Amino acid sequence: MNGQGHVPPRLYRKMKKQSLSLDMLKYLSVGPEGSYFAQFTSGHQWWGCSDPDFIHLIKDSSVYRVAFGEIKILNQTKIYTWMIVGRDGRVAFKNLPKPLQQVMEGRLANQAAPSEISFGSDGAYFVRFLDGASFYNLPSHLSEMCDYITHRGGKITNIMMHPELSKDCVIRHTELRS
C-alpha cells in the first residue's frame, strides 16, 4: 500500500507529481480497474476511467457524487456500470441493475436527486435520495447487519460497498437504542 491506502496507483502517482497529499482530497470514489473520481479542496477534479461515455459526460459536469459498479465482459467487450450525480441534481448512468434503472428512469425531474450511491458485486446497490427515500439490493450479510441496526432503532444513512470486494463495506447509521 505504500501509505496510499486504497487510492488507485494512477491517481496516487499523479498526486505525488503535483505535490498533493491525501488530506487535500475532499471526495474520492474508486472502482474496478483503477477507476476513480477525485475532488480536491482546491476545487479541481480528476478522473480515471476507460469508458469513453463516462469521460465524455464527466468533462462538462459539476459533480456531486460518482459511483462505479462492476465491469462485465460480453462478447469480448467491456460493459461498464456507473452513475454521476451533478450539483444541479441531474443524473447520468450506464448499465444499472434493472430494478434500479427502473427507479431512476421513473423519477421525475422535480424529485429529489440521489445523495448517496454505492455499487457492490453481483448487482448489489444502495441509493439514498435527498428526500430520505432509499432503494437497495443488498447481499444477505449486509441485509442481516441492516436488520440488526434497524431493530435496535437505528436508521441507515449510507452503505458503501465496492464491486470487487464483496465482503468489505461501511454502514453509516444513526445511534442505536441501548
Side-chain angles (χ1 to χ4, degrees):
M1 281 196 264
N2 300 329
Q4 68 184 18
H6 294 286
V7 175
R10 274 187 309 176
L11 174 59
Y12 189 71
R13 285 191 300 273
K14 188 173 180 179
M15 288 175 65
K16 281 187 79 162
K17 187 176 181 180
Q18 298 289 324
S19 300
L20 297 174
S21 61
L22 293 176
D23 63 350
M24 295 174 169
L25 278 170
K26 180 178 178 181
Y27 175 76
L28 176 63
S29 178
V30 299
E33 296 185 352
S35 299
Y36 67 87
F37 175 82
Q39 286 179 330
F40 295 90
T41 54
S42 65
H44 289 92
Q45 54 188 39
W46 296 346
W47 56 86
C49 179
S50 299
D51 184 2
D53 293 335
F54 178 86
I55 295 166
H56 174 74
L57 287 169
I58 202 83
K59 283 181 180 179
D60 299 322
S61 299
S62 176
V63 175
Y64 175 67
R65 290 283 184 265
V66 171
F68 297 98
E70 296 176 285
I71 299 174
K72 297 181 179 177
I73 307 291
L74 182 63
N75 298 326
Q76 299 180 349
T77 302
K78 290 183 179 181
I79 308 296
Y80 294 86
T81 298
W82 46 259
M83 185 183 294
I84 301 168
V85 180
R87 293 202 177 279
D88 61 1
R90 285 191 243 182
V91 179
F93 52 83
K94 186 172 181 181
N95 298 318
L96 299 182
K98 192 61 115 186
L100 179 57
Q101 182 169 332
Q102 291 171 337
V103 166
M104 296 306 298
E105 289 174 346
R107 291 188 68 86
L108 302 174
N110 64 349
Q111 289 182 290
S115 59
E116 305 291 347
I117 318 154
S118 182
F119 295 111
S121 59
D122 299 321
Y125 60 86
F126 176 86
V127 178
R128 182 175 172 91
F129 294 86
L130 289 169
D131 62 6
S134 297
F135 294 92
Y136 50 85
N137 176 37
L138 302 173
S140 60
H141 71 281
L142 275 179
S143 290
E144 291 168 9
M145 285 189 269
C146 291
D147 287 345
Y148 173 81
I149 291 166
T150 56
H151 284 90
R152 301 264 329 262
K155 183 176 179 181
I156 307 296
T157 59
N158 192 14
I159 299 174
M160 292 168 274
M161 299 176 279
H162 191 284
E164 294 178 316
L165 307 169
S166 63
K167 297 291 183 185
D168 288 359
C169 68
V170 174
I171 301 175
R172 280 193 341 225
H173 58 85
T174 58
E175 194 169 334
L176 303 179
R177 291 188 304 259
S178 306

